[in-house]
Amino acid sequence: MSRGPEHPGIPEEPSARVIPRRSVRALCARLRNEGKRIVFTNGCFDLLHAGHAQYLRRAAALGDVLLVGLNSDASVRRLKGEGRPVQKAADRAYLLASLSCVSYVTIFPEDTPARLIVEVVPHVLVKGGDWKGKEIVGSDVVRAHGGAVKTIRFLPGRSTTSILARAGDIRRKGPGSFGGPRGTSRSTHAS
């Protein structure tokens, strides 16, 4: 399915790891036949940030293959509201697939990954620490097949929502204002 680099030292094209939804079941069957331990997580991943990178790296460490289910644009809009997603699904998928810890990405149109998890049947289902103590969608399917459900603590203060809020604060203060009074900057260069 994915090819190696055409030139030594150049990573493969990330889009080769973005797989169509219709191919998920066959891919996962092949991976299982190869004895690979499949880890699955999902999310919007609207603005990729350090919290996402750490979370995905830690999730990947729980198995051999990390498959990320990515909410479609319409799904993100329903979940997060107007103005979201900031980036289109194809761009979000490409960025995720560019991370060395992510094996595959697939886009799903539903609001939850329940149907996708039935197709994947991962060995490990991973969600962020904010789900600890809550019923994680698909956990019943994973456990019924002998799999495990794990939560991973997020990096504090990292979220797309908080990044967008900070960006909104900067815009409201106006150009050139980096925390100082409106219309001024903290620059100390001589004029």
Side-chain angles (χ1 to χ4, degrees), residues 3-71:
R3 301 178 321 170
E6 292 178 20
H7 303 286
I10 298 175
E12 72 176 346
E13 172 59 34
S15 60
R17 296 191 292 157
V18 179
I19 58 169
R21 171 72 180 271
R22 67 183 175 276
S23 302
V24 168
R25 191 181 301 268
L27 170 69
C28 291
R30 179 178 61 80
L31 293 169
R32 256 191 290 301
N33 286 337
E34 293 172 1
K36 304 288 186 190
R37 185 171 167 87
I38 301 168
V39 179
F40 176 85
T41 193
N42 69 283
C44 299
F45 299 98
D46 199 0
L47 293 178
L48 201 55
H49 54 72
H52 288 141
Q54 183 187 72
Y55 169 80
L56 292 167
R57 192 176 60 75
R58 291 176 68 198
L62 298 171
D64 302 309
V65 174
L66 175 60
L67 172 60
V68 178
L70 183 67
N71 290 79

Side-chain angles (χ1 to χ4, degrees), residues 32-142:
R32 256 191 290 301
N33 286 337
E34 293 172 1
K36 304 288 186 190
R37 185 171 167 87
I38 301 168
V39 179
F40 176 85
T41 193
N42 69 283
C44 299
F45 299 98
D46 199 0
L47 293 178
L48 201 55
H49 54 72
H52 288 141
Q54 183 187 72
Y55 169 80
L56 292 167
R57 192 176 60 75
R58 291 176 68 198
L62 298 171
D64 302 309
V65 174
L66 175 60
L67 172 60
V68 178
L70 183 67
N71 290 79
S72 70
D73 293 341
S75 173
V76 174
R77 204 167 2 272
R78 287 189 301 270
L79 295 170
K80 303 288 186 177
E82 282 305 311
R84 298 284 298 275
V86 174
Q87 302 184 86
K88 294 191 177 301
D91 293 342
R92 292 182 284 127
Y94 186 89
L95 288 169
L96 286 167
S98 296
L99 298 174
S100 62
C101 61
V102 174
S103 306
Y104 298 98
V105 179
T106 194
I107 299 167
F108 66 96
E110 302 88 4
D111 290 351
T112 75
R115 288 179 48 203
L116 181 56
I117 290 169
V118 168
E119 294 172 27
V120 173
V121 191
H123 296 92
V124 184
L125 172 61
V126 179
K127 285 302 285 182
D130 58 334
W131 282 88
K132 194 170 188 125
K134 299 177 188 173
E135 185 60 31
I136 296 173
V137 171
S139 61
D140 54 339
V141 171
V142 173

Side-chain angles (χ1 to χ4, degrees), residues 141-176:
V141 171
V142 173
R143 287 186 177 118
H145 287 87
V149 178
K150 304 281 187 186
T151 56
I152 295 176
R153 196 167 27 102
F154 286 136
L155 274 178
R158 269 67 159 215
S159 74
T160 299
T161 302
S162 66
I163 291 169
L164 290 172
R166 285 193 305 272
D169 288 346
I170 291 168
R171 273 196 312 273
R172 281 189 294 281
K173 290 178 182 177

